[in-house]
Amino acid sequence: QGQLVESGGGLVQAGGSLRLSCAASGRTFSSYAMGWFRQVPGKEREFVAAISWSGGSTYYADSVKGRFTISRDNAKNTVYLQMNSLKPEDTDIYYCNAVRKDYSGSYYPLNSWGQGTQVTVSS
């Protein structure tokens, strides 16, 4: 699997919106489910959302359900995360990765991580 490059982060006020993008290199992007995770340095990385290889199924952490929307464009090898109604607790570094669901129903990453993109929500 190739490289993952996240972008679109920034500083936004509470209640605002951001759209993150993740560009993937490699010819097999459309074969994999993709996910977004987030992490504050020093804390465990947290699952945010996932989307099936076709884009037909999506899954969200309870903390973002109804506010975030994951989507993908296989022709552009890109996955997106539309974040609305942002809260200060959404402040994190956001990462994308190819994912697979394990026996417990949790999503785990398949590749090494990219640099991520910083999202900061001010109150």
Side-chain angles (χ1 to χ4, degrees):
Q1 188 69 6
Q3 201 175 12
L4 300 164
V5 180
E6 301 91 346
S7 63
L11 173 63
V12 64
Q13 287 191 328
S17 298
L18 283 173
R19 188 195 195 203
L20 307 184
S21 298
C22 170
S25 60
R27 293 175 294 176
T28 58
F29 171 81
S30 61
S31 301
Y32 291 90
M34 295 294 294
W36 284 94
F37 298 76
R38 62 187 183 186
Q39 183 179 30
V40 173
K43 291 193 175 181
E44 196 169 319
R45 211 172 307 240
E46 174 189 32
F47 168 78
V48 175
I51 187 167
S52 61
W53 66 269
S54 67
S57 298
T58 55
Y59 314 88
Y60 298 93
D62 288 343
S63 58
V64 307
K65 205 172 291 184
R67 301 188 297 122
F68 292 9
T69 302
I70 188 171
S71 61
R72 67 189 297 163
D73 185 337
N74 286 343
K76 296 182 178 179
N77 276 18
T78 302
V79 62
Y80 305 97
L81 187 68
Q82 177 67 43
M83 305 187 297
N84 299 328
S85 302
L86 282 161
K87 304 175 181 180
E89 51 264 43
D90 294 319
T91 295
D92 261 319
I93 301 173
Y94 284 71
Y95 303 85
C96 69
N97 212 319
V99 296
R100 188 166 289 160
K101 191 187 290 188
D102 67 16
Y103 69 94
S104 69
S106 298
Y107 287 92
Y108 63 92
L110 297 178
N111 301 306
S112 55
W113 297 100
Q115 293 297 307
T117 185
Q118 175 72 52
V119 171
T120 303
V121 185
S122 63
S123 56

